[in-house]
Amino acid sequence: PAAPPAAAPVAPAPAAPAPAPSTPATAFACCDTPALNELLGAYLDVHKALAADDPKAASPAFATLGAKAGAAKAGVDAAGGALLDTISTESQAAAAATTLVDQRAAFKKLSPAMVTLTRAHPGGDSKVTEAWCPMAEGGWLQGGATISNPYEGANMPTCGSFR
């Protein structure tokens, strides 16, 4: 009698996908003083309100951001003070604005100052990532591993990439 055919080799089971990281690989720690940590927290509150298309929540968040910018000036050099002035000025304008368009325009103007300031003051427990939206031609800082676009909101919540 003929020998039974050889069994086909069994392919190994596919590996389970790796869990998503809680922060992107490009995340960095900020900030090295309590005042700058509070400033960052206020900035992230503004980011969340804009990403949620909520101008009523964004107005008081901008007011808080402006106040925190003034309070943080004591712990920075002249260059940091100039960045905080930009953050304060734009925050005050946005706090008085009633439309998302105006609030987002102010956020777009102050975000480069926040990025520069936070990168100049590493350390601390807050993890943030710089993101960029090509549609809005604007950047921002955010926590988390999923893009949350403050310029496009519900229209394109994940438009952008981490830098």
Side-chain angles (χ1 to χ4, degrees):
V10 177
S22 60
T23 56
T26 57
F28 62 95
C30 179
C31 294
D32 61 359
T33 69
L36 290 175
N37 267 321
E38 290 180 17
L39 178 75
L40 178 61
Y43 175 89
L44 294 174
D45 289 343
V46 169
H47 165 261
K48 288 175 191 171
L50 295 177
D53 296 328
D54 190 347
K56 290 184 180 182
S59 287
F62 271 116
T64 300
L65 179 60
K68 298 292 182 187
K73 283 184 106 174
V76 297
D77 61 12
L83 295 169
L84 288 165
D85 286 342
T86 298
I87 294 164
S88 179
T89 299
E90 294 302 327
S91 294
Q92 290 171 12
T98 57
T99 69
L100 278 170
V101 170
D102 292 338
Q103 290 173 334
R104 286 176 168 149
F107 189 74
K108 188 174 180 179
K109 290 178 185 176
L110 70 82
S111 285
M114 275 299 297
V115 170
T116 300
L117 189 65
T118 56
R119 287 196 180 274
H121 294 273
D125 296 330
S126 299
K127 297 280 189 210
V128 292
T129 308
E130 183 179 355
W132 176 260
C133 174
M135 299 291 292
E137 296 181 352
W140 70 92
L141 294 172
Q142 71 167 62
T146 302
I147 292 287
S148 178
N149 190 314
Y151 302 115
E152 299 296 333
N155 288 332
M156 290 190 274
T158 59
C159 179
S161 60
F162 290 115
R163 291 182 145 187

PDB file of all heavy atoms in Angstrom, residues 129-143:
ATOM      1  N   THR A 129       2.459  66.117  23.114  1.00  0.00           N
ATOM      2  CA  THR A 129       2.986  65.871  21.782  1.00  0.00           C
ATOM      3  C   THR A 129       2.605  67.035  20.894  1.00  0.00           C
ATOM      4  O   THR A 129       1.510  67.581  20.997  1.00  0.00           O
ATOM      5  CB  THR A 129       2.390  64.576  21.196  1.00  0.00           C
ATOM      6  OG1 THR A 129       2.565  63.525  22.132  1.00  0.00           O
ATOM      7  CG2 THR A 129       3.071  64.193  19.902  1.00  0.00           C
ATOM      8  N   GLU A 130       3.515  67.416  20.038  1.00  0.00           N
ATOM      9  CA  GLU A 130       3.228  68.454  19.060  1.00  0.00           C
ATOM     10  C   GLU A 130       2.548  67.804  17.858  1.00  0.00           C
ATOM     11  O   GLU A 130       2.981  66.762  17.379  1.00  0.00           O
ATOM     12  CB  GLU A 130       4.525  69.143  18.629  1.00  0.00           C
ATOM     13  CG  GLU A 130       4.301  70.282  17.680  1.00  0.00           C
ATOM     14  CD  GLU A 130       5.597  70.976  17.262  1.00  0.00           C
ATOM     15  OE1 GLU A 130       6.677  70.630  17.785  1.00  0.00           O
ATOM     16  OE2 GLU A 130       5.519  71.855  16.384  1.00  0.00           O
ATOM     17  N   ALA A 131       1.472  68.426  17.396  1.00  0.00           N
ATOM     18  CA  ALA A 131       0.738  67.919  16.236  1.00  0.00           C
ATOM     19  C   ALA A 131       0.604  69.030  15.204  1.00  0.00           C
ATOM     20  O   ALA A 131       0.727  70.220  15.524  1.00  0.00           O
ATOM     21  CB  ALA A 131      -0.631  67.409  16.669  1.00  0.00           C
ATOM     22  N   TRP A 132       0.303  68.634  13.970  1.00  0.00           N
ATOM     23  CA  TRP A 132       0.189  69.584  12.856  1.00  0.00           C
ATOM     24  C   TRP A 132      -0.968  69.176  11.969  1.00  0.00           C
ATOM     25  O   TRP A 132      -1.124  68.000  11.629  1.00  0.00           O
ATOM     26  CB  TRP A 132       1.472  69.586  12.048  1.00  0.00           C
ATOM     27  CG  TRP A 132       1.424  70.460  10.838  1.00  0.00           C
ATOM     28  CD1 TRP A 132       1.204  70.076   9.547  1.00  0.00           C
ATOM     29  CD2 TRP A 132       1.579  71.876  10.807  1.00  0.00           C
ATOM     30  NE1 TRP A 132       1.223  71.165   8.712  1.00  0.00           N
ATOM     31  CE2 TRP A 132       1.449  72.291   9.468  1.00  0.00           C
ATOM     32  CE3 TRP A 132       1.820  72.841  11.787  1.00  0.00           C
ATOM     33  CZ2 TRP A 132       1.553  73.626   9.079  1.00  0.00           C
ATOM     34  CZ3 TRP A 132       1.928  74.166  11.396  1.00  0.00           C
ATOM     35  CH2 TRP A 132       1.797  74.547  10.056  1.00  0.00           C
ATOM     36  N   CYS A 133      -1.773  70.157  11.577  1.00  0.00           N
ATOM     37  CA  CYS A 133      -2.865  69.934  10.628  1.00  0.00           C
ATOM     38  C   CYS A 133      -2.521  70.638   9.320  1.00  0.00           C
ATOM     39  O   CYS A 133      -2.438  71.867   9.294  1.00  0.00           O
ATOM     40  CB  CYS A 133      -4.186  70.476  11.174  1.00  0.00           C
ATOM     41  SG  CYS A 133      -5.541  70.385   9.970  1.00  0.00           S
ATOM     42  N   PRO A 134      -2.340  69.881   8.236  1.00  0.00           N
ATOM     43  CA  PRO A 134      -2.026  70.516   6.962  1.00  0.00           C
ATOM     44  C   PRO A 134      -3.210  71.300   6.387  1.00  0.00           C
ATOM     45  O   PRO A 134      -3.014  72.265   5.668  1.00  0.00           O
ATOM     46  CB  PRO A 134      -1.637  69.341   6.063  1.00  0.00           C
ATOM     47  CG  PRO A 134      -2.316  68.157   6.665  1.00  0.00           C
ATOM     48  CD  PRO A 134      -2.364  68.416   8.142  1.00  0.00           C
ATOM     49  N   MET A 135      -4.414  70.887   6.718  1.00  0.00           N
ATOM     50  CA  MET A 135      -5.602  71.589   6.213  1.00  0.00           C
ATOM     51  C   MET A 135      -5.692  72.999   6.799  1.00  0.00           C
ATOM     52  O   MET A 135      -5.969  73.958   6.090  1.00  0.00           O
ATOM     53  CB  MET A 135      -6.872  70.811   6.541  1.00  0.00           C
ATOM     54  CG  MET A 135      -6.937  69.424   5.937  1.00  0.00           C
ATOM     55  SD  MET A 135      -7.125  69.446   4.146  1.00  0.00           S
ATOM     56  CE  MET A 135      -8.766  70.091   4.021  1.00  0.00           C
ATOM     57  N   ALA A 136      -5.461  73.111   8.105  1.00  0.00           N
ATOM     58  CA  ALA A 136      -5.538  74.404   8.786  1.00  0.00           C
ATOM     59  C   ALA A 136      -4.200  75.138   8.771  1.00  0.00           C
ATOM     60  O   ALA A 136      -4.132  76.304   9.135  1.00  0.00           O
ATOM     61  CB  ALA A 136      -5.985  74.205  10.229  1.00  0.00           C
ATOM     62  N   GLU A 137      -3.151  74.431   8.364  1.00  0.00           N
ATOM     63  CA  GLU A 137      -1.793  74.968   8.393  1.00  0.00           C
ATOM     64  C   GLU A 137      -1.463  75.509   9.777  1.00  0.00           C
ATOM     65  O   GLU A 137      -0.974  76.631   9.934  1.00  0.00           O
ATOM     66  CB  GLU A 137      -1.597  76.029   7.315  1.00  0.00           C
ATOM     67  CG  GLU A 137      -1.727  75.475   5.912  1.00  0.00           C
ATOM     68  CD  GLU A 137      -1.500  76.506   4.832  1.00  0.00           C
ATOM     69  OE1 GLU A 137      -1.382  77.713   5.126  1.00  0.00           O
ATOM     70  OE2 GLU A 137      -1.440  76.093   3.659  1.00  0.00           O
ATOM     71  N   GLY A 138      -1.763  74.684  10.781  1.00  0.00           N
ATOM     72  CA  GLY A 138      -1.503  75.083  12.154  1.00  0.00           C
ATOM     73  C   GLY A 138      -1.098  73.907  13.017  1.00  0.00           C
ATOM     74  O   GLY A 138      -1.477  72.769  12.757  1.00  0.00           O
ATOM     75  N   GLY A 139      -0.336  74.222  14.052  1.00  0.00           N
ATOM     76  CA  GLY A 139       0.107  73.211  14.984  1.00  0.00           C
ATOM     77  C   GLY A 139      -0.484  73.436  16.361  1.00  0.00           C
ATOM     78  O   GLY A 139      -1.093  74.466  16.639  1.00  0.00           O
ATOM     79  N   TRP A 140      -0.284  72.451  17.239  1.00  0.00           N
ATOM     80  CA  TRP A 140      -0.763  72.543  18.614  1.00  0.00           C
ATOM     81  C   TRP A 140      -0.077  71.481  19.456  1.00  0.00           C
ATOM     82  O   TRP A 140       0.594  70.596  18.937  1.00  0.00           O
ATOM     83  CB  TRP A 140      -2.283  72.396  18.673  1.00  0.00           C
ATOM     84  CG  TRP A 140      -2.794  71.007  18.371  1.00  0.00           C
ATOM     85  CD1 TRP A 140      -3.047  70.009  19.266  1.00  0.00           C
ATOM     86  CD2 TRP A 140      -3.108  70.461  17.082  1.00  0.00           C
ATOM     87  NE1 TRP A 140      -3.502  68.880  18.607  1.00  0.00           N
ATOM     88  CE2 TRP A 140      -3.549  69.135  17.260  1.00  0.00           C
ATOM     89  CE3 TRP A 140      -3.060  70.955  15.781  1.00  0.00           C
ATOM     90  CZ2 TRP A 140      -3.942  68.306  16.223  1.00  0.00           C
ATOM     91  CZ3 TRP A 140      -3.444  70.130  14.737  1.00  0.00           C
ATOM     92  CH2 TRP A 140      -3.882  68.831  14.954  1.00  0.00           C
ATOM     93  N   LEU A 141      -0.280  71.587  20.753  1.00  0.00           N
ATOM     94  CA  LEU A 141       0.164  70.568  21.697  1.00  0.00           C
ATOM     95  C   LEU A 141      -1.055  69.834  22.207  1.00  0.00           C
ATOM     96  O   LEU A 141      -2.124  70.443  22.370  1.00  0.00           O
ATOM     97  CB  LEU A 141       0.878  71.210  22.892  1.00  0.00           C
ATOM     98  CG  LEU A 141       2.186  71.912  22.605  1.00  0.00           C
ATOM     99  CD1 LEU A 141       2.656  72.655  23.854  1.00  0.00           C
ATOM    100  CD2 LEU A 141       3.244  70.931  22.144  1.00  0.00           C
ATOM    101  N   GLN A 142      -0.889  68.550  22.483  1.00  0.00           N
ATOM    102  CA  GLN A 142      -1.985  67.777  23.061  1.00  0.00           C
ATOM    103  C   GLN A 142      -1.432  66.596  23.832  1.00  0.00           C
ATOM    104  O   GLN A 142      -0.291  66.206  23.652  1.00  0.00           O
ATOM    105  CB  GLN A 142      -2.947  67.299  21.983  1.00  0.00           C
ATOM    106  CG  GLN A 142      -2.374  66.210  21.083  1.00  0.00           C
ATOM    107  CD  GLN A 142      -3.442  65.552  20.242  1.00  0.00           C
ATOM    108  OE1 GLN A 142      -4.072  66.206  19.433  1.00  0.00           O
ATOM    109  NE2 GLN A 142      -3.642  64.263  20.455  1.00  0.00           N
ATOM    110  N   GLY A 143      -2.260  66.047  24.692  1.00  0.00           N
ATOM    111  CA  GLY A 143      -1.944  64.804  25.371  1.00  0.00           C
ATOM    112  C   GLY A 143      -2.604  63.666  24.604  1.00  0.00           C
ATOM    113  O   GLY A 143      -3.403  63.893  23.700  1.00  0.00           O
TER     114      GLY A 143
END
